[in-house]
Amino acid sequence: AAGPGERGAPPATPEPTIKPASMKELYRFASSADKSLMIMGGCAAAVGGAMQPAMAFFLGDLTEALYITDQSKRNEKVLTVVIELLVLALVTFLTTAGSWVCFAVSADRQQITLRRKFFAHVLRQDVGWFDVNEPATLTTRCTNDSYDFREGIGEKFSTLISGSVQTIAGFVVAFIKSWQLTLAMLIAVPLLGGSVAVIIKFVSTLGAKQQGAYAKAGGVAEQAIGSIRTVAAFGGEETEVERYDQYVRVAQQKGIRAGVFLGASTAITIMIMYWTFALGFWYGSLIIVWDINANCLDTRSISRPFGDCFSGGVMLSTLFAVLYG
């Protein structure tokens, strides 16, 4: 017998085991034009991903330029850094927009091809296949699954490339600026990476179950509307509404669980990020004291107000580079 919390729930059906598609299988609907668009979009996404760590690199130069005592040299240095940041902003805009356009166009073309092949494949099935697979759910499944397929090979894949390059470039910039501070901040990287991995795994699992419940609800609705005369003749409106509500309630529960977990996990991730910043500022201040005690200020000049010392500008560049990474 069903427990109190399971009353009104639809009967459980075994979930089929679906093998994840490989990258080659995922892009088997791509034509030569689609592949060309993805290559151009991937290159643009890679360049765009490296721009934010580059901004962190120049941020330290701008901070240190404010401490130059000679006004003309200070203005010249600030103007140079400002122009460099404006160029970075322009390149970021062009590459990010270009990558999204290329991947969006390519994904839309592949989605159309997928839907056509799906429809043609369904029409070739034997009659017995429709006894096992409910025909009313096919349209909802096709719409939802093809949408997820398009999202995965479209802008999200562009974001994946950009994020991967940004991670590598961020740590390269951080190690160039200060390998000591970067190594200290790497303590928090496993915590941040682990929290993000758990979020992605849990939300994607609940999202798949939620989509399955919506597909079954859509099948019930299409079946009832397609046979509305029969349903009305036998007074089955309330029964069909109850069947629909059962599947919608399951999808609602999955969505609420995913939302609560996503909110809590995001809060924990941001908390760890702030802890990382606190660690960076604390350890960075220690490096500044150690360098000053080592008489590093003896190497300073008009254009280099801090000489060979570890300065606040270097610390900010390293912190932001690690953050972007």
Side-chain angles (χ1 to χ4, degrees), residues 42 44-50 96 99-100 157-167:
V47 175
T96 303
S99 65
W100 276 57
F157 191 67
S158 173
T159 304
L160 174 63
I161 296 175
S162 177
S164 301
V165 174
Q166 179 176 319
T167 299

Side-chain angles (χ1 to χ4, degrees), residues 253-324:
Q253 293 170 1
K254 302 297 183 184
I256 291 174
R257 287 182 61 192
V260 171
F261 183 83
L262 181 61
S265 302
T266 303
I268 294 175
T269 302
I270 294 176
M271 180 180 66
I272 296 175
M273 184 180 65
Y274 286 160
W275 284 352
T276 306
F277 260 86
L279 173 64
F281 279 114
W282 173 75
Y283 192 74
S285 65
L286 292 181
I287 299 177
I288 292 176
V289 173
W290 295 337
D291 280 3
I292 292 177
N293 292 335
N295 298 322
C296 66
L297 291 177
D298 296 341
T299 61
R300 59 184 173 179
S301 61
I302 296 178
S303 58
R304 299 176 64 233
F306 297 100
D308 295 332
C309 292
F310 180 86
S311 63
V314 175
M315 182 168 62
L316 285 177
S317 292
T318 306
L319 288 175
F320 279 101
V322 173
L323 172 64
Y324 291 138

